[in-house]
Structure formats: structure tokens, C-alpha cells
Amino acid sequence: MKTLNLTTKINVYTFDEASESIKKLIEAAKSATKTAYAPYSEFCVGAAVMLDNGKIITGSNQENAAYPSGLCAERVAIFSANAQYPNKGMDAIAIAAFNKGDFTNVPCCPCGSCRQVMAEVESRYNKKVKIIMYGKSEIYEVDSIDALLPLSFGKESLSDI
Ligand code: THU
């Protein structure tokens, strides 16, 4: 037997330490929380995608009385970007969450299904996507979905024998 040790590099910084372009993307994600439809969880998430033409596309979580029919903010933003600009890859996505009257202190990290969708985006456009997870006290940033979803299932998995 052998053991594979995987390492994950996460940059941790505060909002004030962020570059101007990252600040702009985070502000767009924070602002998008206002458009969330979250009457069931009251947990309002915003996501902002930066396309490689500089455009910012936002999304927010959209819940449903039939709970599984709702969708996370990240997938709303990514699918919207893909539908409007199918030929544009993504440079980065920022995520923020507003809960009980304020933005969360801890970084808002994407759920497993959103990670899988982000992996597809990297594969589709053959380009790494920076993921910025906003929290009031600190921000987490990874260079690629590989850091959050190692050993992922992708198109090469389908053709492997
Ligand atoms: N949610 C997101 O939109 N993104 C995440 O990364 C985590 C969870 C939403 C789904 C649901 O509407 C609410 O937050 C509570 O889980």
C-alpha cells in the first residue's frame, strides 16, 4: 500500500489587502446577495463571475418550496455567464453570504455541486478559475478548483478504461 498526500494552497487575506479588481468582484458578489430569493433558509448568497473580457456577471441563490428545485448563487452566476457569453472563459468567481443581518465572518465556501460545475468550467475553457471566498474577518482565495475538489470527475473519467 502507498499513501497519496494531497496539499491545498489557500491564500488568506483581508478585504483591505485585496487588489482593486478583486475588491470590485467581491463588491459585486456582496451586492448580489440583495437579489437572493431565500425565504426558507434566509441565507442570502451572492456570486460574481469575472469573464476574460472583463465583464462581471452576478447570481444569487434562488430557493423553492420544493427545496431541491432551488439553485445556489454560484451556479446561477456561472450558468448565466455561460448562456450569455458561451465563448468566454472565466478568470475568477467571488462568493459572499449575508445571514442574520450581516455578511458572514467566515468565508463562504462553495457546496460540492457548485465545485463540480466550476471544474467543468475549467475543463471547458482550458483555463484555471480563481475562487474568492469572502468573509468579513478574512478572505480565502484558491488559484483553481483543483484546490477545493481534488480527484474530481471530469470528461477524461468518462473515456478512461
Ligand atoms: N447556498 C449557495 O447559494 N451557495 C453556497 O455556496 C452554499 C449554499 C445557498 C443554497 C440555499 O439557498 C442556502 O444557501 C442555504 O443552504
Side-chain angles (χ1 to χ4, degrees):
M1 188 190 85
K2 62 179 181 177
T3 303
L4 299 175
N5 286 304
L6 306 173
T7 54
T8 296
K9 194 189 87 178
I10 305 177
N11 296 320
V12 183
Y13 53 88
T14 63
F15 184 80
D16 289 345
E17 292 170 318
S19 68
E20 288 311 308
S21 64
I22 300 282
K23 277 184 180 151
K24 190 174 157 200
L25 198 62
I26 290 171
E27 290 296 4
K30 288 174 76 175
S31 189
T33 62
K34 296 192 200 102
T35 70
Y37 176 64
Y40 305 104
S41 72
E42 296 182 355
F43 190 80
C44 299
V45 185
V49 167
M50 169 82 75
L51 297 179
D52 57 17
N53 62 0
K55 261 199 183 324
I56 292 178
I57 308 292
T58 60
S60 54
N61 53 331
Q62 302 297 319
E63 295 185 348
N64 194 286
Y67 292 178
S69 299
L71 201 61
C72 291
E74 296 91 320
R75 277 175 287 164
V76 170
I78 290 170
F79 291 151
S80 174
N82 283 157
Q84 295 178 72
Y85 300 93
N87 301 317
K88 295 287 169 212
M90 296 175 195
D91 285 342
I93 179 165
I95 307 154
F98 190 89
N99 187 30
K100 298 189 173 78
D102 205 352
F103 289 98
T104 58
N105 242 326
V106 293
C108 182
C109 301
C111 79
S113 298
C114 291
R115 293 178 196 209
Q116 182 68 26
V117 167
M118 290 174 195
E120 187 76 21
V121 168
E122 286 199 354
S123 153
R124 175 175 177 177
Y125 298 103
N126 194 25
K127 187 176 157 75
K128 296 204 175 305
V129 180
K130 189 174 279 193
I131 303 160
I132 299 138
M133 294 153 273
Y134 175 78
K136 265 190 310 164
S137 57
E138 57 188 12
I139 293 164
Y140 287 171
E141 180 195 284
V142 293
D143 292 339
S144 160
I145 189 61
D146 287 347
L148 298 182
L149 191 67
L151 308 177
S152 64
F153 186 92
K155 63 173 187 272
E156 39 323 300
S157 320
L158 289 172
S159 53
D160 193 27
I161 43 165

